[in-house]
Amino acid sequence: MIKEENILTVRSVIGDKVYNPEGEELGCVRDMLIDPETGKIAYGVLTFRGCSDGGDVKKFAVPYEAFVLNEEKDCFTLNVDKEMLEKAKSQDTYQGNKYYVY
């Protein structure tokens, strides 16, 4: 039997806002990258500086376990300095998409 209170759908978290512990908005959850060998979520994709793909938005592949769910506020917390995301320069390409690595 599946216990609903312990399970989220990927669709339910796409678009959720992400904040750092200081309360600064970092962006939104844009996608999830699944490890095909384990079937588990390996990375969450954070869109930094917005919730779309336009403008100067940066996409970060962040290990999923780094995201802390705040069910009360329907958002995530990520323990990262906003300035570090601002200055990120290295990118990896995965299936044609470029991601900054966290």
Side-chain angles (χ1 to χ4, degrees), residues 32-35 38-44 61-65:
M32 298 287 170
L33 303 178
I34 298 171
D35 181 333
T38 65
K40 296 185 181 201
I41 296 171
Y43 296 92
V62 179
Y64 186 70
E65 53 277 347

Side-chain angles (χ1 to χ4, degrees), residues 8-11 13-14 31-45 61-65 94-95 99:
L8 296 169
T9 64
V10 172
R11 188 179 306 179
V13 299
I14 301 299
D31 208 347
M32 298 287 170
L33 303 178
I34 298 171
D35 181 333
E37 291 183 20
T38 65
K40 296 185 181 201
I41 296 171
Y43 296 92
V45 177
V62 179
Y64 186 70
E65 53 277 347
Y94 176 73
Q95 293 184 347
Y99 297 103

Side-chain angles (χ1 to χ4, degrees), residues 65-76:
E65 53 277 347
F67 287 94
V68 177
L69 177 63
N70 182 334
E71 292 181 71
E72 190 176 294
K73 294 184 178 179
D74 200 25
C75 66
F76 287 90

Side-chain angles (χ1 to χ4, degrees), residues 1-98:
M1 180 151 120
I2 297 174
K3 296 180 181 178
E4 288 185 36
E5 67 272 7
N6 295 330
I7 295 179
L8 296 169
T9 64
V10 172
R11 188 179 306 179
S12 73
V13 299
I14 301 299
D16 281 0
K17 297 207 184 236
V18 179
Y19 297 88
N20 64 13
E22 290 75 31
E24 298 174 296
E25 185 177 328
L26 301 176
C28 294
V29 176
R30 178 71 173 153
D31 208 347
M32 298 287 170
L33 303 178
I34 298 171
D35 181 333
E37 291 183 20
T38 65
K40 296 185 181 201
I41 296 171
Y43 296 92
V45 177
L46 166 70
T47 55
F48 177 62
R49 292 195 210 116
C51 296
S52 67
D53 286 333
D56 62 350
V57 170
K58 291 181 176 180
K59 288 191 275 186
F60 286 86
V62 179
Y64 186 70
E65 53 277 347
F67 287 94
V68 177
L69 177 63
N70 182 334
E71 292 181 71
E72 190 176 294
K73 294 184 178 179
D74 200 25
C75 66
F76 287 90
T77 300
L78 185 60
N79 190 13
V80 64
D81 182 51
K82 191 172 185 176
E83 188 174 329
M84 192 273 305
L85 298 177
E86 290 275 359
K87 294 180 178 181
K89 300 219 185 296
S90 66
Q91 290 185 335
D92 281 348
T93 301
Y94 176 73
Q95 293 184 347
N97 293 301
K98 289 187 178 183

